[in-house]
Amino acid sequence: MSKHENIEVRLAERPRGLPGDACWKVARTECAGPADGEFLVRNAFVSVDPAMRGWMNEGKSYIAPVGIGEVMRAICVAEVVESKHPDFAPGDHVTGLFGVQVYALSDGEGVNKVDPQLAPLPMYLAALGMPGMTAYFGLIDVGRVETGDMVVVSAAAGAVGQVVGQIAKIRGCDVVGIAGGPEKCAYVTTELGFDACIDYKNEKVGAALKQYCPDGIDIYFDNVGGDILDAALGRLARGARVVICGAISQYNNEGAMRGPKNYMSLLVNRASMEGFVVFDYVRRYGDAAREIGGWLADGRLKCRLDIVKGLPNFPETLRRLYTGENFGKLLIEV
Ligand code: NAP
């Protein structure tokens, strides 16, 4: 049985605030070949996601926390290198929760084959992967998007936000993004075709929403929580849908997360606010990927990637999400 030199990024301690280097231990190990019913993959790209911060915390959530000493959980796109599994052969490309490491063994659970001829491998972790699915089901199912809606999305230049806004444009909506800094805002309007983008680091979000959404917001797709959520709640149209996708501004709070102040706007405007977890839509990923794949192929949808090289760079790469240094879907090329 062959042996493979592995690099594993393990959780060493639970963070307080922004995860420091001490949270991680990089271990060099040997990975054995697969047992019967297993296959061995070599990761090509590891997805770096805001949700990782939640997975590092102890306590009840929609998924169990990563244990101390365990390889950090991550969605990856990989190539099968050895197999004793009837459904997977060397050379197959697959996505799965293979973790922040070079090699991983799998029994095939939660693993999907992908075709590198149809799209570049990183795209299966971006518009054709979890962030794209999040945008699609969050906007269409939870947001119940309709032609002519005024849609506002925060973290608009990010993995999920860029797809949300472009699907809303395809569906005939007016779209306003909110992002940090002039470069991201220019990208969102010029390259992605949003109608406007508010630079929350340099503009007053409430006043800008009043200017761009004079008749109110029909869908607010919230990726950030905090003050921006409050500003959006203050501009809802009657019957608005507030989609709670994430609250990245709150993930590194050392105390409790801050909730919305303006929630009575939901009553006044007969509006709803609903959270969702993308994994609940897994049975419909195929349909969504076909539609998103069509838009990518005909150029109606673009997806910007931000690729960092080298697994040992994982600790500082993860922090980039919470400082806004990433520009597009953040990945590590292994
Ligand atoms: P991303 O947008 O590619 O990256 C995170 C971005 O968040 C940063 O680039 C930064 O953009 C922004 N940000 C960071 N700190 C902020 C702060 N204090 N205030 C405002 N903005 C801040 O990440 P993503 O993968 O697309 O994820 C976006 C959100 O979706 C996250 O909240 C994530 O947890 C959530 N999510 C939820 C699900 C689900 O199933 N519900 C699935 C996937 C993702 P700026 O430079 O513009 O500030």
Side-chain angles (χ1 to χ4, degrees), residues 21-332:
D21 289 349
C23 291
W24 309 104
K25 184 173 185 316
V26 178
R28 288 172 194 272
T29 59
E30 277 203 342
C31 184
D36 283 343
E38 286 184 340
F39 55 92
L40 180 77
V41 298
R42 189 185 192 289
N43 280 330
F45 294 91
V46 171
S47 180
V48 184
D49 289 294
M52 287 174 155
R53 180 63 186 80
W55 300 343
M56 296 170 75
N57 290 338
E58 211 154 25
K60 188 175 176 292
S61 186
Y62 62 92
I63 194 168
V66 176
I68 299 295
E70 287 177 8
V71 174
M72 182 59 192
R73 178 185 295 136
I75 309 173
C76 307
V77 61
E79 183 174 348
V80 176
V81 288
E82 281 182 46
S83 182
K84 290 188 177 174
H85 190 295
D87 302 331
F88 295 91
D92 284 348
H93 289 89
V94 288
T95 58
L97 281 173
F98 302 130
V100 185
Q101 57 185 340
V102 180
Y103 289 98
L105 289 166
S106 172
D107 61 6
E109 202 188 319
V111 174
N112 289 300
K113 289 190 196 177
V114 298
D115 186 347
Q117 306 298 327
L118 288 181
L121 285 179
M123 207 51 82
Y124 291 103
L125 300 175
L128 290 173
M130 191 273 284
M133 302 299 120
T134 303
Y136 186 96
F137 293 109
L139 184 69
I140 294 173
D141 278 59
V142 187
R144 305 189 300 281
V145 68
E146 285 181 20
T147 305
D149 277 345
M150 170 57 80
V151 176
V152 174
V153 56
S154 49
V160 174
Q162 58 180 331
V163 182
V164 170
Q166 291 178 90
I167 296 178
K169 286 307 301 176
I170 290 168
R171 289 293 185 102
C173 301
D174 294 317
V175 181
V176 175
I178 304 175
E183 202 193 346
K184 286 187 179 179
C185 286
Y187 172 75
V188 160
T189 50
T190 314
E191 290 291 320
L192 305 184
F194 291 26
D195 299 286
C197 188
I198 300 165
D199 175 359
Y200 75 92
K201 291 186 174 165
N202 295 293
E203 291 179 70
K204 289 205 164 30
V205 177
L209 286 173
K210 192 168 179 184
Q211 179 192 339
Y212 294 126
C213 315
D215 300 323
I217 300 166
D218 297 304
I219 299 180
Y220 173 55
F221 194 106
D222 188 29
N223 286 316
V224 304
D227 291 336
I228 294 176
L229 171 59
D230 272 332
L233 285 172
R235 286 285 332 146
L236 296 185
R238 188 167 173 150
R241 286 83 69 201
V242 178
V243 180
I244 301 296
C245 176
I248 196 166
S249 74
Q250 305 296 305
Y251 292 173
N252 289 299
N253 287 4
E254 294 198 22
M257 284 202 185
R258 220 190 74 199
K261 279 192 286 210
N262 281 344
Y263 75 94
M264 283 302 279
S265 172
L266 299 171
L267 179 152
V268 172
N269 295 298
R270 289 78 161 171
S272 65
M273 181 152 90
E274 186 177 343
F276 74 105
V277 175
V278 67
F279 302 131
D280 295 344
Y281 294 87
V282 69
R283 283 198 191 82
R284 291 168 56 202
Y285 280 10
D287 295 339
R290 264 183 294 282
E291 192 161 19
I292 294 172
W295 293 328
L296 283 168
D298 68 17
R300 295 174 82 191
L301 192 134
K302 294 180 189 169
C303 179
R304 184 179 175 123
L305 307 170
D306 183 342
I307 300 179
V308 172
K309 285 200 161 92
L311 267 191
N313 295 320
F314 174 76
E316 62 257 36
T317 304
L318 178 65
R319 287 193 289 269
R320 290 176 57 182
L321 288 172
Y322 312 107
T323 55
E325 283 166 84
N326 69 306
F327 192 171
K329 172 64 199 131
L330 188 61
L331 305 167
I332 294 183

